[in-house]
Amino acid sequence: MHLRISNIQHRTKQLKGFLISENNFSLKFPVLRLVHLGGITQHKTPSVKFSTSSVMAKSKFEYVRNFELDDTCLRNCYIVVRLDGRNFHKFSDQHKFIKPNDNRALGLMSRSARSVMEELEDITIAYGQSDEFSFVFKRSSNWFKRRASKLMTHVTSQFSSSFVFFWKEYFGEHPLLYPPSFDGRVVLYPSNQNLRDYLSWRQADCHINNLYNTTFWTLVQKGGLTTTQAEERLSGTQAADKNEILFSEFNINYNNESPMHKKGTTLLWEMVNETTTKQIKRPNEAETEVTVTRTRKKVTTHFCDIIGDQFWEEHPDILEKD
């Protein structure tokens, strides 16, 4: 009887009676039939071979992938994703938002933004006012391989779904009449100064809009003017004029208005001490209460000036070195 052994060019493993190779592998089963060779009865073990391939099968339709654009964000740039409420003037009217500022809506916007930051930890700071929020990704971030479309859609969808999810937490039994929607855009800022100027621009816009809205709705709600009359009254006025109207006619000092309304909302990561109490039962002793303090990274909320240097000096970890 002549026996021939084939060379096996790749490593094999013996496992529970099966012969397994890494690429093409055979399954050898126990004796299944007898074969007579020259008067000698031999046991014959059949092999069943399965072929696998690490290369995904391609089809003739795969060429359509060539139409996809490369939207990888430039390296060493801060990635800013800014969301804006779509048609929120109508949305706020139909849901009877308080004018000029509804703290329920502002709180819900901030809660939705915090949900985004907790999901995407490479967001180093976020700033929001009215129906918009800006999210700043680290310059060194490699989330979603820095693809702009992935970053924008993930932030937008997470924010929108959170807005709906947490609605009752802020509006109670006041129903959400229809789904809100937000549009998004991605902008890159290459330097620390560029990023600071962007955030300063958004906070300055917050001040301008809030001063106008505060004066406008004061004229309507306390001055008895129609919305058209109030708009005509404020046409061409400067900041000093609006402050004068508020103070001289309604005894309102704009400087005493809520910082959240004047400055907007800033979210950032900080190390926070949290204290909790636990009940501990030791052997042969009565149950005792123990206070435990731990430090963890958490998203914190601030209503402060981010245009000047003080904020950035107090939070040096936000910016990366140029």
Side-chain angles (χ1 to χ4, degrees):
M1 179 181 66
H2 178 69
L3 298 177
R4 185 180 64 182
I5 300 176
S6 300
N7 292 327
I8 300 176
Q9 297 181 352
H10 49 267
R11 180 167 54 89
T12 62
K13 298 177 181 178
Q14 190 72 32
L15 179 62
K16 293 185 179 179
F18 295 102
L19 181 65
I20 304 174
S21 65
E22 286 184 315
N23 296 322
N24 295 321
F25 60 94
S26 303
L27 301 181
K28 283 197 172 182
F29 299 92
V31 177
L32 295 179
R33 59 194 175 96
L34 301 176
V35 178
H36 290 277
L37 295 175
I40 301 176
T41 302
Q42 290 186 330
H43 297 296
K44 184 74 172 180
T45 304
S47 297
V48 182
K49 289 191 174 183
F50 300 88
S51 295
T52 61
S53 174
S54 59
V55 180
M56 183 180 294
K58 295 184 178 181
S59 73
K60 66 178 181 179
F61 307 110
E62 194 167 357
Y63 78 93
V64 297
R65 294 183 62 184
N66 296 325
F67 289 94
E68 295 181 14
L69 293 176
D70 180 12
D71 62 348
T72 303
C73 294
L74 190 66
R75 293 283 177 183
N76 299 321
C77 290
Y78 292 103
I79 304 172
V80 175
V81 179
R82 186 166 98 235
L83 306 185
D84 287 280
R86 181 179 176 275
N87 204 6
F88 248 61
H89 180 77
K90 174 185 174 183
F91 183 87
S92 63
D93 283 344
Q94 293 198 354
H95 288 86
K96 296 179 173 55
F97 282 11
I98 299 169
K99 308 292 186 179
N101 293 291
D102 193 315
N103 290 338
R104 299 169 302 172
L106 294 174
L108 178 56
M109 290 285 292
S110 296
R111 181 64 186 88
S112 303
R114 179 155 60 90
S115 174
V116 173
M117 290 187 68
E118 291 169 347
E119 179 72 16
L120 301 170
E121 293 184 6
D122 265 10
I123 297 174
T124 184
I125 186 174
Y127 175 78
Q129 51 113 348
S130 186
D131 64 341
E132 72 168 59
F133 241 100
S134 297
F135 300 89
V136 180
F137 285 83
K138 298 175 182 177
R139 269 202 300 215
S140 56
S141 177
N142 200 38
W143 278 79
F144 302 112
K145 298 182 179 179
R146 295 180 70 87
R147 290 184 59 186
S149 57
K150 290 281 190 179
L151 292 166
M152 182 180 66
T153 52
H154 192 103
V155 170
T156 306
S157 62
Q158 180 74 24
F159 189 95
S160 300
S161 59
S162 297
F163 192 93
V164 174
F165 185 82
F166 293 111
W167 174 269
K168 275 196 172 183
E169 188 175 315
Y170 292 86
F171 283 87
E173 296 305 313
H174 189 77
L176 180 63
L177 301 177
Y178 60 89
S181 61
F182 298 84
D183 63 69
R185 71 197 75 185
V186 174
V187 186
L188 305 182
Y189 295 100
S191 72
N192 289 339
Q193 191 59 54
N194 292 151
L195 178 64
R196 283 189 55 177
D197 287 345
Y198 167 77
L199 293 171
S200 297
W201 169 48
R202 300 321 304 145
Q203 188 165 68
D205 188 70
C206 173
H207 163 70
I208 293 169
N209 289 339
N210 189 67
L211 177 58
Y212 180 90
N213 289 334
T214 300
T215 311
F216 177 89
W217 286 107
T218 300
L219 288 170
V220 172
Q221 295 169 351
K222 297 183 178 181
L225 301 185
T226 65
T227 54
T228 301
Q229 291 171 332
E231 187 175 350
E232 291 174 352
R233 174 77 187 277
L234 295 177
S235 178
T237 57
Q238 302 298 318
D241 301 321
K242 297 180 183 70
N243 275 291
E244 181 62 24
I245 291 173
L246 290 173
F247 188 74
S248 62
E249 297 183 26
F250 302 99
N251 197 30
I252 295 175
N253 186 341
Y254 182 75
N255 292 328
N256 296 332
E257 292 296 296
S258 167
M260 176 173 63
H261 302 159
K262 294 187 301 178
K263 303 291 186 182
T265 302
T266 301
L267 304 179
L268 53 95
W269 291 99
E270 287 187 297
M271 299 304 297
V272 177
N273 291 327
E274 291 187 340
T275 302
T276 57
T277 57
K278 293 184 177 180
Q279 300 293 330
I280 296 180
K281 179 72 169 66
R282 295 185 176 89
N284 302 322
E285 292 184 14
E287 192 174 69
T288 57
E289 189 175 88
V290 177
T291 301
V292 179
T293 300
R294 65 171 185 167
T295 302
R296 72 183 184 98
K297 197 175 182 183
K298 190 176 181 181
V299 177
T300 57
T301 304
H302 304 262
F303 311 116
C304 60
D305 176 71
I306 60 174
I307 297 177
D309 293 332
Q310 182 178 348
F311 172 82
W312 302 99
E313 291 170 354
E314 292 175 351
H315 306 283
D317 295 337
I318 296 175
L319 300 176
E320 299 175 71
K321 291 183 179 179
D322 282 330

